[in-house]
Amino acid sequence: MNIFHRIHWENWHLMLAAIALILIFSIFILVVIRIWRTPNSKLEHLSNLPLEDEKPAHEKRTDHD
C-alpha cells in the first residue's frame, strides 16, 4: 500500500472546493456582465413590472360589481 494514496484523496477534496468556488465566481461574473450590457430602458421596465397596473384605475373591476 502506497503511503501517498491518502494524501492524494485529501488533495482531491481541496481541488473540488476550488473548482466549486471558481464555478460560482464565474457565474456571478457572467450575471454582472449581463446586467451591465442590458439597456437602461429594459432595466427600468423590469424594475417597474410589479408596480405597473395592467388596466387603468377607472377600468378596474371591483368586488361589488
Side-chain angles (χ1 to χ4, degrees):
M1 179 93 7
N2 190 352
I3 193 168
F4 296 110
H5 182 68
R6 181 174 171 209
I7 295 173
H8 174 71
W9 283 104
E10 289 175 3
N11 287 337
W12 182 80
H13 291 287
L14 292 175
M15 284 186 1
L16 183 63
I19 290 170
L21 179 67
I22 291 170
L23 181 66
I24 291 171
F25 185 72
S26 299
I27 292 171
F28 176 76
I29 294 297
L30 289 174
V31 168
V32 168
I33 290 172
R34 183 172 179 189
I35 291 171
W36 278 343
R37 294 187 68 192
T38 304
N40 287 338
S41 60
K42 177 79 171 175
L43 291 176
E44 185 177 332
H45 172 71
L46 292 175
S47 68
N48 290 327
L49 272 178
L51 303 176
E52 291 178 351
D53 292 333
E54 291 182 18
K55 296 181 180 179
H58 65 278
E59 293 181 11
K60 282 190 176 179
R61 183 175 172 213
T62 60
D63 291 337
H64 63 282
D65 282 346

